[in-house]
Amino acid sequence: MSNLQDTCSTFGGNTVAYLDRLDGQSAEVVRLIQALPIPPALQSHLHQTWRITRQKLAYFRRELSRSDGELQEELEVLHSTLLPEVISYQIRLGAMMISDTCPDHQYLNQWKSIWSNFDLD
């Protein structure tokens, strides 16, 4: 596993700020999902996925803010190791769903715009 310094560079050295940024972006995603002209079942699935993601981000943030010392460092490593992969997968999945079901590319462009500062590599 990477050391703390390596993994914190992904977060700009501040995991709480990273979680806050993701929460803001996921709130934008939830608003966009409500406007998407996609089948109701797919819209419901996307909405549920991102609602749960926002709940988990809030939980991670609370957990991190309550910890200190070595536990806080371990949580930062854990979150920086796993969280980008999970979010990246959800971003790609959402883009595929929008691309496959919305003939109007404005929605896909909005999706991409929301995530423009998220490194997907």
Side-chain angles (χ1 to χ4, degrees), residues 41-74:
L42 190 56
Q43 187 176 41
S44 177
H45 173 74
L46 269 175
H47 188 266
Q48 179 73 1
T49 297
W50 284 97
R51 185 185 66 76
I52 291 168
T53 297
R54 294 194 73 222
Q55 288 174 338
K56 288 178 182 178
L57 288 171
Y59 173 75
F60 289 163
R61 189 179 194 297
R62 280 192 311 274
E63 177 183 35
L64 192 60
S65 69
R66 292 177 182 161
S67 65
D68 60 3
E70 190 174 317
L71 176 59
Q72 186 175 32
E73 288 179 8
E74 289 174 2

Side-chain angles (χ1 to χ4, degrees), residues 14-120:
N14 188 334
T15 305
V16 173
Y18 182 80
L19 293 171
D20 288 345
R21 187 184 83 195
L22 284 178
D23 183 57
Q25 288 172 283
S26 63
E28 288 182 54
V29 163
V30 169
R31 285 189 292 276
L32 176 61
I33 290 169
Q34 294 170 348
L36 291 175
I38 60 177
L42 190 56
Q43 187 176 41
S44 177
H45 173 74
L46 269 175
H47 188 266
Q48 179 73 1
T49 297
W50 284 97
R51 185 185 66 76
I52 291 168
T53 297
R54 294 194 73 222
Q55 288 174 338
K56 288 178 182 178
L57 288 171
Y59 173 75
F60 289 163
R61 189 179 194 297
R62 280 192 311 274
E63 177 183 35
L64 192 60
S65 69
R66 292 177 182 161
S67 65
D68 60 3
E70 190 174 317
L71 176 59
Q72 186 175 32
E73 288 179 8
E74 289 174 2
L75 289 173
E76 287 178 353
V77 169
L78 177 66
H79 294 188
S80 66
T81 302
L82 298 175
L83 191 58
E85 293 300 319
V86 171
I87 297 296
S88 179
Y89 171 77
Q90 288 184 213
I91 293 169
R92 287 187 178 115
L93 184 62
M96 286 188 323
M97 289 177 176
I98 293 168
S99 178
D100 290 350
T101 58
C102 291
D104 186 346
H105 292 286
Q106 79 170 354
Y107 297 103
L108 182 57
N109 291 337
Q110 287 175 354
W111 182 270
K112 289 178 180 180
S113 175
I114 291 169
W115 297 111
S116 64
N117 66 346
F118 192 86
D119 184 17
L120 294 176

